[in-house]
């Protein structure tokens, strides 16, 4: 393989496993041993990297205050104001949490680690209105993003966010709630049709007592646990939740199911069963080691086949983060990034439902595509925003207490208000790079002849770069 | 699909080349319209969970007044529709509409195992799924997928907004979102964009890049069709100058100019009234009623009301009992308000909700919302409802 081919490989790898790469780094890596390149990409940070926007103490204080307030039969005017203020602040904090993660996605030195966190964020999709619990779940997904799947699954299942979201907190002996047991198998491990309704009923009994205590910390509660015998997957015993997880993961189908989702996320919208089986087998044999599965994926020749290159539609977050990384963009009014996420249909911490974002072509409709193609000019060229956007349903409470939006406000001119660092952008590039070469570097699909001809007479790095990333080809990776 | 078949199935293929879209022929379109009595469906979404009990008030129920000591609408303020139910006084602009026989109230609409989360319940309403089912397409989107005669074009379903809701997304076809046809037309006519699509034909491949170019070309032709058809029409009616009034004004312009659109989608936000509900909900209901009044009379004046059906829904109703903050928390079943000039059952469609028969403090649903969808699909959009709703639902006789 010659240098040019190695360079193209690195670029493909980083467009999928990360959020793009600079020219100079790709050039440097293409001189190194490929195994080593992948090993260093897969490495997770040694010191756990967490989002710490809200502390546990602060959360406890807020929760207690709200519980007291809600327990009152009638609230005074001051207390009603307090309640409104809480709703306002919570909404504000949730936005900050969203932006804190987006900042990590844009600046982390461990991009695959963040990308896998994003993958698990969609896989274990959950919404929680309390900032701290959403943050906690995100940190659990990050901590185990490249670790062991069983540990990740178990830890996710024990977070208050998930216990509440899938109602296991209400799952008690004699009064089972099957929501968690069902999604555990349907969405988290096996997929539809790989279990019976009876398996759901019995496993729900096994998970009774998995709940958090009054301090909002997970604590198995034997008092509400159903310790009778259960029959699950044809075996009978006094099973607890951990036993159920073990029995599920003992099935090869679970490894294939996760491998299939990883394939759709990293490789192609169209599944290839042979490649997924290969990946699933490796995952299973490694004892559900996520890093080992990714290692296998990124060293497989089929990952680099032309059919799997430049043909994946970027998710909105991949698009925004990739663009921001390439142009070293600073956002002076980061809240604009929330508006963009909402309008593009991927608002972090707010997946559409427990099944996560469907991805692929579902990202694209007339309006989302028009906006996606306009983003480069909004971010890089100070273009004016001509949309006001739509609120997320969960923000209705904040809208209601903030009174109806001022209609005049929406008409004000608005801008993303971002500063790309053009000097840093040029420093990353070889001197005298031609417009066509620049397009070849910034785009993953090959540019057709006519678009190439459009660029040939271009002068100026900036205008060429903006033009290139505004092309439909830039929507793909 | 081979390249040739793919070309055949795009909106461009019928025109031969996208530059001369065959469907940009307003005169012919109007003629067709008169022949087939083109029917319009307008869906109004109340986001946040509108309190149905303070919208259509069960003033005949003592329980209502017991459970809502501070926020019940006083009997003397209610606009009475029958002995049991009446309208919130902020809906006074609807009285005339009701008296004209252009309004029907369907009580107690919901679904089994109701979800009290906004986004999940909205997801269920927009996709038309069961509570335990996750669909990534919407019910209008699947109607577009179902091969109806005009469904080829994105403008068959228009959302008057900046972003497209799940409701209008199908597997192979999607509606189009636009707040201002002139702005979209301008955007698709920017020199750079035009240059991109001017040679789209070689990209019309089945891969994702081909899909992007195809979407761009369809957006451009839809934008020019919508703009060129609707710009000739200006309404004389005076709409309230708020967001919702403007949306309805746009819809009226589209309908009256003869746009070959079947479904319009608009929404109003701010109904999540946990605190001090009376003022907040009252303002929204007033804006809604005043805008609807102008809209329906505007359509009537243009002879379009008989061909228009309006549905107003929210993702859930609210709990029967008020909370401590003079507001209400998330509940379950709710009413759907139906408007139009061709209603079969006018007035109140079914019994008022029974406040004595609750489930954990919440109303029980009597009509599945998909029965309402099925009715509209079958009787208004002429589509086999089981094709869209994944199984067959009974139809109702309100139209």
């Amino acid at each position: 393989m010659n240098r040019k081919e190695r360079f193209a490989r690195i670029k493909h790898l980083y467009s999928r496993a990360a959020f793009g790469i600079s020219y100079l780094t790709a050039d440097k890596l293409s001189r190194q041993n490929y195994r080593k390149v992948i090993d260093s990409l897969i490495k997770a940070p040694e010191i756990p990297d967490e989002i710490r926007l809200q502390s546990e103490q602060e959360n406890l204080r807020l929760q207690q205050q709200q519980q007291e307030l809600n327990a009152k039969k009638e609230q005074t005017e001051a207390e009603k104001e307090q309640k409104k203020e809480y709703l306002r602040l919570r909404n504000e904090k949730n936005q900050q949490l969203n932006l804190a993660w987006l900042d990590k996605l844009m600046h982390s030195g461990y991009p695959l680690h963040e990308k896998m966190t994003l993958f698990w964020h969609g896989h274990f999709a959950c919404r929680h209105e309390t900032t701290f619990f959403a943050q906690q779940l995100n940190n659990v997904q990050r901590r185990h993003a490249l670790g062991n799947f069983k540990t990740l699954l178990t830890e996710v299942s024990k977070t208050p966010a998930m216990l509440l979201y899938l109602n296991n907190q209400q799952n008690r002996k004699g009064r089972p709630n099957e929501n968690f047991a069902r999604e555990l198998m349907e969405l988290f491990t096996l997929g539809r049709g790989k279990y019976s309704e009876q398996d759901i009923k019995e496993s729900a009994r096994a998970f009774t007592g998995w709940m958090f205590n009054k301090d909002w910390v997970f604590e198995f509660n034997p008092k509400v646990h159903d310790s009778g015998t259960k029959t699950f997957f044809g075996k009978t015993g006094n099973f607890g939740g951990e036993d159920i997880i073990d029995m599920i993961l003992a099935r090869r189908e679970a490894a294939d199911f996760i491998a299939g989702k990883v394939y759709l996320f990293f490789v192609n919208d169209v599944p290839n069963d042979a490649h997924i089986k290969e990946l699933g087998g490796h995952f299973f044999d490694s004892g559900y080691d996520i890093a080992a599965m990714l290692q296998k994926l990124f060293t497989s020749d089929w990952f680099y086949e032309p059919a799997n290159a430049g043909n994946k539609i970027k998710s909105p977050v991949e698009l925004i983060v990739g663009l921001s990384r390439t142009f070293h963009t600073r956002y002076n009014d980061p809240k604009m990034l929330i508006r963009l996420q909402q309008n593009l249909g991927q608002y972090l911490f707010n997946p559409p439902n427990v099944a996560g974002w469907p991805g692929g072509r579902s990202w694209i409709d007339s309006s989302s595509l028009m906006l996606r193609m306009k983003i480069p000019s909004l971010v890089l060229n100070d273009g004016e925003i001509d949309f006001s956007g739509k609120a997320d349903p969960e923000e209705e409470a904040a809208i209601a207490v903030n009174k109806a939006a001022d209609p005049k406000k929406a008409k004000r001119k608005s801008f993303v208000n971002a500063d790309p660092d053009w000097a840093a952008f040029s420093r990353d590039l070889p001197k005298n790079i031609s417009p066509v070469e620049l397009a070849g570097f910034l785009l993953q699909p090959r540019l057709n002849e006519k678009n190439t001809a459009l660029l040939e007479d271009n002068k100026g790095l900036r205008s060429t770069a903006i033009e290139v990333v505004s092309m439909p080809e830039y929507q793909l990776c | 699909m081979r390249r040739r078949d793919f070309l055949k199935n795009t909106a461009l293929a019928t025109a031969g080349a996208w530059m001369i879209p065959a469907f940009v022929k307003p005169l012919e379109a109007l003629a067709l319209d008169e022949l087939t009595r083109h029917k319009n469906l307008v869906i109004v979404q109340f986001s946040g969970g509108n309190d149905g009990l303070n919208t259509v008030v069960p003033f005949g129920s003592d329980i209502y007044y017991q459970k809502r000591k501070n926020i019940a609408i006083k009997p003397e303020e209610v606009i009475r529709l029958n002995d049991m139910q009446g309208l919130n006084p902020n809906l006074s602009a609807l009285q005339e509409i009701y008296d004209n026989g252009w309004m029907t109230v369907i009580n107690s609409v919901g679904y089994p195992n109701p979800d009290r989360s906004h986004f999940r319940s909205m997801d269920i309403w927009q996709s038309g799924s069961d509570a335990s089912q996750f669909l990534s397409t919407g019910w209008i989107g699947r109607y577009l997928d179902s091969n109806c005669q005009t469904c080829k074009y994105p403008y068959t379903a228009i959302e008057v907004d900046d972003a497209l809701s799940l409701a209008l997304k199908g597997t192979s076809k999607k509606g189009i979102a636009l707040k201002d046809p002139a702005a979209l037309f301008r955007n698709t006519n920017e020199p750079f964009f035009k240059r991109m699509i001017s040679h789209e034909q070689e990209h019309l491949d089945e891969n994702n890049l081909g899909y992007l170019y195809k979407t761009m070309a369809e957006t451009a032709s839809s934008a020019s069709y919508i703009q060129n058809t609707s710009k000739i029409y200006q309404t004389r009616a005076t709409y309230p100058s708020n967001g919702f009034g403007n949306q309805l004004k746009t819809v009226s312009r589209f309908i009256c100019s003869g746009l070959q659109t079947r479904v319009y989608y608009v929404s109003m936000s701010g109904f999540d009234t946990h605190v001090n509900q009376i003022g907040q909900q009252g303002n929204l209901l007033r804006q809604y009623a005043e805008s609807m009044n102008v809209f329906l009379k505007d359509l009537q004046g243009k002879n379009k009301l008989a061909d228009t059906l309006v549905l107003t829904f929210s993702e859930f109703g609210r709990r029967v009992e008020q909370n401590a903050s003079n507001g209400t928390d998330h509940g379950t079943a709710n009413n759907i308000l139906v408007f139009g000039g061709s209603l079969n059952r006018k007035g109140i469609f079914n019994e008022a909700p029974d406040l004595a028969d609750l489930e954990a403090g919440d109303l029980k649903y009597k009509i599945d919302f998909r029965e309402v969808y099925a009715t509209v699909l079958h009787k208004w959009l002429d589509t086999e409802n089981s094709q869209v709703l994944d199984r067959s639902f009974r139809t109702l006789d309100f139209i």
Side-chain angles (χ1 to χ4, degrees), chain B residues 122-277:
Chain B
M122 191 56 98
D123 200 46
I124 289 167
W125 274 85
Q126 291 203 5
S127 66
S129 73
D130 291 330
S132 61
Q133 191 184 13
F134 304 99
L135 298 178
S136 54
T137 54
W139 73 285
I140 297 298
R142 291 194 302 277
Y143 159 70
L144 300 178
D145 280 339
S146 73
N147 289 320
C148 69
Q149 188 51 43
T150 54
C151 289
K152 301 201 261 293
Y153 312 115
Y155 60 75
T156 303
I158 295 180
E159 178 163 8
V160 184
D161 207 309
D162 290 317
L164 193 69
S165 294
L166 174 67
L168 284 80
K169 293 182 185 172
T171 306
S172 62
K173 302 197 182 80
K174 295 184 177 95
I176 187 168
L178 77 163
K179 208 171 232 169
D180 173 6
L184 183 66
F185 182 70
R186 241 184 354 258
N187 282 337
T188 54
N189 277 286
E190 275 179 3
F192 180 76
F193 192 88
K194 279 197 90 146
R195 264 195 316 183
M196 285 291 113
I197 50 173
S198 67
H199 39 77
E200 47 62 46
Q201 262 140 340
E202 58 208 81
H203 291 285
L204 278 181
D205 250 317
E206 294 169 50
N207 61 22
N208 282 334
L209 188 59
Y211 179 73
L212 296 180
Y213 274 96
K214 176 174 161 265
T215 305
M216 285 164 66
E218 285 180 357
T219 307
S221 42
S222 288
S224 85
Y225 167 71
I226 294 169
Q227 172 65 359
N228 289 326
T229 308
S230 65
K231 73 179 177 196
I232 47 171
Y233 178 85
Q234 281 305 334
T235 175
R236 287 212 191 89
T238 312
Y239 282 79
S241 62
N242 54 52
F244 184 67
N246 287 333
Q247 288 182 71
L248 287 188
K249 189 176 174 183
T250 305
V251 173
S252 155
R253 190 171 132 201
F254 288 165
I255 290 176
C256 295
S257 63
L259 217 58
Q260 291 295 295
T261 297
R262 296 300 299 267
V263 183
Y264 297 95
Y265 205 93
V266 296
S267 51
M268 247 184 129
S269 193
F271 287 92
D272 195 18
T273 48
H274 289 279
V275 188
N276 288 342
Q277 170 175 309

Side-chain angles (χ1 to χ4, degrees), chain A residues 410-427:
Chain A
K411 283 189 186 128
R412 238 176 21 206
K413 280 192 177 186
S414 62
F415 301 89
V416 168
N417 192 3
D419 290 321
D421 185 342
W422 288 103
F425 172 71
S426 335
R427 261 201 308 279

Side-chain angles (χ1 to χ4, degrees), chain B residues 352-367:
Chain B
D354 183 353
L355 305 195
D357 180 26
L358 302 179
E359 193 166 313
D362 279 316
L363 299 176
K364 290 182 180 169
Y365 85 98
K366 294 283 154 41
I367 291 176

Side-chain angles (χ1 to χ4, degrees), chain B residues 328-343:
Chain B
T328 48
D329 298 325
H330 304 176
T332 54
N334 204 356
N335 40 46
I336 282 187
L337 306 181
V338 186
F339 302 89
S342 298
L343 298 177

Side-chain angles (χ1 to χ4, degrees), chain A residues 222-403:
Chain A
K223 277 189 231 147
V224 300
H225 178 68
D226 180 343
S227 53
T229 52
K230 298 121 194 156
T231 303
F232 183 72
F233 286 167
K235 288 186 191 134
T236 303
N238 173 15
F239 301 133
E242 255 112 8
D243 302 318
I244 298 294
I245 289 178
D246 281 336
M247 283 189 274
I248 291 172
L249 297 186
R251 302 206 150 187
R252 170 67 199 272
E253 288 104 312
D256 288 346
F257 180 74
I258 302 297
K261 287 191 79 171
V262 163
Y263 187 92
L264 294 183
F265 189 79
F266 285 103
V267 188
N268 204 313
D269 295 346
V270 185
N272 176 314
D273 287 339
H275 296 162
I276 290 171
K277 280 254 151 43
E278 192 184 325
L279 210 53
H282 197 78
F283 191 37
F284 189 76
D285 293 341
S286 72
Y288 289 90
D289 182 334
I290 299 161
M293 170 171 53
L294 293 177
Q295 168 97 17
K296 174 80 186 166
L297 169 62
F298 301 138
T299 50
S300 296
D301 284 337
W302 47 257
F303 177 69
Y304 300 92
E305 277 169 9
N308 291 330
N311 189 30
K312 242 185 103 43
I313 297 173
K314 290 174 186 170
S315 73
V317 167
E318 286 173 326
L319 178 70
I320 294 171
V321 170
L323 186 80
S324 308
R325 278 185 178 254
T326 299
F327 293 93
H328 305 268
T329 310
R330 196 181 67 223
Y331 293 90
N332 303 312
D333 178 12
K335 285 203 175 154
M336 294 307 298
L337 292 167
I338 286 179
R339 271 175 69 181
L340 290 181
Q341 291 172 66
Q342 287 174 335
N343 278 279
L344 294 174
Q346 189 182 30
Y347 183 19
L348 292 178
F349 292 100
N350 297 275
N353 55 48
V354 66
W357 288 278
R361 290 187 183 183
S362 77
W363 296 126
I364 303 297
D365 60 67
S366 292
S367 37
S368 70
L369 181 59
M370 294 296 289
L371 176 57
R372 286 171 71 123
M373 290 178 57
K374 218 176 170 184
I375 282 181
S377 72
L378 297 178
V379 171
L380 306 176
N381 216 9
D382 212 18
E384 189 193 333
I385 295 175
D386 58 359
F387 64 91
S388 51
K390 194 185 295 191
D392 183 87
E394 289 300 328
E395 285 174 356
E396 289 296 336
I399 294 172
V401 296
N402 279 325
K403 297 275 157 53

Side-chain angles (χ1 to χ4, degrees), chain A residues 10 13-14 17 25 28-29 32-45 109-113 146 295 298:
Chain A
I10 296 277
L13 174 68
Y14 270 76
T25 314
K28 193 178 86 192
L29 295 184
Q32 294 177 2
N33 175 300
Y34 204 71
R35 274 268 169 186
K36 279 191 183 144
V37 170
I38 290 171
D39 285 346
S40 71
L41 180 65
I42 289 177
K43 214 165 58 201
Y110 297 87
L112 175 62
H113 191 224
L146 293 164
Q295 168 97 17
F298 301 138

